[in-house]
Amino acid sequence: MALTQINAIIAQTTELVIQQTIDIPRITITPIGEVRSGFHPFTLSLENLNYAVPEDDLWIQTLREQEIQILKTSNSTYQEKRLEDYVVMGLVDFDDVSYDEQADFLYNLAEQVIQRLRSYLTDDADIRKILQVHQRSISALIHTQMQPHFWETAAGYEAKVSRGFAALKQPCYTVNSELVYDFRQSPQVKSNMAKYLFGGFERCLYPYQQFQSDAERVLSIILDRETHKWFKPARGQFCIDYQWQGSQPEYQPDFIAETDNQIYMIEVKASHQMSAGDVQAKKTAAITWCKNASEYSQKYGGKAWNYVLIPHDKIKENMTVQGLCANL
């Protein structure tokens, strides 16, 4: 084979590889420094908190031994000074609650509980009985509602840049061609989008993709129309760790898309989750990764990376990528 033919084959192969991949710099992001955490103030939902006043004597019968014990609620040997103290003392038993750093916040929640009980009880002695007997269940109810309002921040993130670019990882799908849906069509049942497998793409780097929501599917229509190439990353494609509730989970972005002048790392979230602590922690880590990726990529004539967090209700099929990502 002539040298000119070999060079032509190499050129064609190189061009094909370029067309079927996106240059992903080898960058590892890890949290560093002191970690701070807490809860954003919020209003409790207490409509279902309707405890009846316990009798002074509570009869307890064990099922196995059939023994009977009497718990005298009115003669407790120890009583908290304030009604709110029962609630707060129950909350500080949880590992993610710090009295020293969150006392004002905890007492605000406790005051909401007391106000709720006073909305249908007039005697503080009756309220005290309820708090003594149901302290654990009341605290559990509050703690569950606290979780969406948790926040955590690391002092910073450390970026380690390695030479070269990472190859695309292949996702794992069990494909039945009869069960592959056209991504342009919304399925009738959207409650469990992750069970569907979609195909029919023109510019996606993978033949099949799964979506976590119909908003993601609509976004794929925009990307397939507006970008040069795009894909949903497989687990482990990006080495981006973020600090959250004492651990360092891996962040897996929803979409990567390349346009004429930049590469987008896109995350789609429900509009009410945009300010959630874990979402913001992922965003901070991802922005750090994109900043370092841009610096590294542009050294070799590549494109800048841009992280975009998009609320689900802002995604409309007739939008452009530039219009969708503007002002976000």
Side-chain angles (χ1 to χ4, degrees):
M1 184 179 294
L3 181 59
T4 54
Q5 292 178 307
I6 295 176
N7 289 338
I9 293 174
I10 293 174
Q12 291 175 356
T13 303
T14 301
E15 181 61 26
L16 183 61
V17 171
I18 292 173
Q19 291 175 0
Q20 295 181 348
T21 192
I22 291 178
D23 289 337
I24 301 176
R26 297 180 184 274
I27 298 174
T28 301
I29 298 295
T30 53
I32 58 172
E34 180 184 2
V35 177
R36 299 182 62 251
S37 64
F39 298 89
H40 296 293
F42 71 100
T43 300
L44 288 166
S45 176
L46 300 172
E47 295 82 3
N48 296 324
L49 196 152
N50 295 300
Y51 290 108
V53 179
E55 299 292 338
D56 285 346
D57 292 341
L58 294 181
W59 293 75
I60 302 175
Q61 182 174 5
T62 59
L63 296 178
R64 179 175 297 178
E65 291 85 4
Q66 298 298 315
E67 296 179 353
I68 295 178
Q69 298 178 348
I70 299 177
L71 174 65
K72 297 183 178 296
T73 62
S74 60
N75 297 325
S76 175
T77 58
Y78 177 79
Q79 293 186 348
E80 301 287 356
K81 292 182 179 179
R82 299 170 54 188
L83 296 177
E84 291 82 0
D85 292 340
Y86 290 100
V87 180
V88 173
M89 293 304 103
L91 289 174
V92 296
D93 286 338
F94 293 97
D95 293 338
D96 57 349
V97 177
S98 169
Y99 178 84
D100 292 337
E101 298 180 3
Q102 303 162 4
D104 291 342
F105 166 75
L106 297 176
Y107 272 102
N108 176 268
L109 297 180
E111 289 168 3
Q112 294 182 49
V113 172
I114 303 307
Q115 289 175 8
R116 169 60 185 170
L117 294 174
R118 282 176 174 159
S119 69
Y120 68 92
L121 295 172
T122 57
D123 190 342
D124 279 4
D126 290 338
I127 295 176
R128 187 178 296 274
K129 291 179 185 178
I130 290 175
L131 295 174
Q132 287 176 330
V133 174
H134 300 290
Q135 181 189 48
R136 186 170 298 178
S137 59
I138 291 174
S139 299
L141 171 67
I142 298 172
H143 187 254
T144 298
Q145 295 189 33
M146 289 166 59
Q147 296 313 299
H149 305 278
F150 181 85
W151 60 266
E152 186 172 77
T153 59
Y157 287 89
E158 180 181 48
K160 295 182 179 179
V161 182
S162 303
R163 295 183 61 183
F165 295 86
L168 295 187
K169 293 182 178 293
Q170 294 299 316
C172 297
Y173 299 133
T174 301
V175 180
N176 183 335
S177 59
E178 296 180 356
L179 299 178
V180 176
Y181 292 80
D182 187 334
F183 79 108
R184 300 174 188 83
Q185 302 297 322
S186 178
Q188 292 183 348
V189 181
K190 305 176 185 178
S191 57
N192 188 10
M193 284 290 292
K195 70 180 181 180
Y196 300 114
L197 197 61
F198 292 88
F201 312 109
E202 294 183 4
R203 301 181 182 180
C204 183
L205 298 182
Y206 299 133
Y208 308 107
Q209 295 279 234
Q210 288 180 312
F211 304 118
Q212 299 301 313
S213 66
D214 199 52
E216 286 193 6
R217 183 194 64 81
V218 174
L219 178 57
S220 76
I221 297 176
I222 299 173
L223 299 180
D224 210 60
R225 183 185 67 233
E226 298 284 335
T227 68
H228 294 321
K229 43 197 170 182
W230 65 275
F231 70 103
K232 287 179 65 65
R235 186 170 298 279
Q237 181 67 73
F238 291 87
C239 297
I240 304 176
D241 294 337
Y242 64 99
Q243 189 72 42
W244 184 244
Q245 295 185 341
S247 62
Q248 296 183 6
E250 173 194 330
Y251 172 47
Q252 181 180 349
D254 288 334
F255 293 87
I256 303 297
E258 183 174 346
T259 63
D260 286 335
N261 54 11
Q262 62 183 313
I263 300 174
Y264 289 101
M265 179 182 288
I266 303 174
E267 180 79 9
V268 178
K269 280 297 176 187
S271 56
H272 68 277
Q273 295 180 328
M274 293 288 285
S275 60
D278 60 333
V279 174
Q280 292 300 311
K282 293 175 184 178
K283 178 181 177 180
T284 301
I287 288 176
T288 302
W289 190 97
C290 287
K291 177 179 179 295
N292 285 272
S294 294
E295 294 173 355
Y296 182 82
S297 181
Q298 290 176 323
K299 287 181 181 179
Y300 300 93
K303 298 176 181 179
W305 285 72
N306 184 28
Y307 180 79
V308 185
L309 176 61
I310 305 176
H312 80 286
D313 54 2
K314 297 295 184 182
I315 301 173
K316 309 298 179 185
E317 188 174 332
N318 62 350
M319 300 181 72
T320 65
V321 173
Q322 184 176 2
L324 182 62
C325 296
N327 302 318
L328 289 175

